[in-house]
Amino acid sequence: MLVDLLDNLEWYRALHPAMQGIITIMDRSIPYDNEEGTYTVDGISYHVMEYESSVTGELDQASGNQVHILLEGEEILSLQREALVEVVTQCTIGMFVLFRKGERFRYKQNRNTQTKVKKVVFTLPDPAS
């Protein structure tokens, strides 16, 4: 799990060939105007999600390398191994989180009040060999 400011996303271009495409899509502010659903722009697929956070949140597992970018609201994200919480971060607008394929994480979580959240999740394609 990697957490940083969206302004620094360019620093991570070398991590994956599709990273520049994500930067371009975000620079054009396309996901901000999208409703909930799955989209493809310039060959890059992403999913826009809208939900209410809760105290318990939801456990999930990254189906591939994923970049989560918060567009509205805030939530707690945690990296989990079995029942053990390894890393916890408070995500707000202007942040991104990179999960590696197979990492288990809890999201849709907030401390004590429900918060409306809108975020975009880019699942990076496996690089061609």
Side-chain angles (χ1 to χ4, degrees), residues 31-127:
Y32 291 93
D33 297 327
N34 291 141
E35 294 182 15
E36 194 168 13
T38 302
Y39 301 87
T40 301
V41 174
D42 299 333
I44 298 187
S45 294
Y46 61 90
H47 185 75
V48 175
M49 306 168 68
E50 293 186 55
Y51 51 85
E52 294 279 333
S53 62
S54 69
V55 175
T56 57
E58 260 183 54
L59 194 60
D60 201 356
Q61 186 168 2
S63 58
N65 294 328
Q66 295 180 335
V67 178
H68 293 229
I69 300 173
L70 232 56
L71 305 175
E72 294 176 16
E74 61 181 39
E75 70 179 340
I76 296 171
L77 282 170
S78 60
L79 182 64
Q80 304 208 204
R81 186 170 307 199
E82 304 304 321
L84 210 65
V85 176
E86 293 189 323
V87 179
V88 177
T89 187
Q90 178 76 34
C91 290
T92 60
I93 297 170
M95 295 182 76
F96 76 91
V97 178
L98 175 73
F99 289 106
R100 297 186 69 171
K101 183 177 184 175
E103 285 185 322
R104 292 173 46 106
F105 60 94
R106 185 170 298 280
Y107 73 119
K108 294 186 178 182
Q109 189 173 11
N110 217 327
R111 286 193 181 102
N112 48 17
T113 59
Q114 285 187 325
T115 304
K116 183 179 177 185
V117 175
K118 181 176 183 181
K119 79 172 171 184
V120 59
V121 177
F122 294 90
T123 301
L124 303 170
D126 290 332

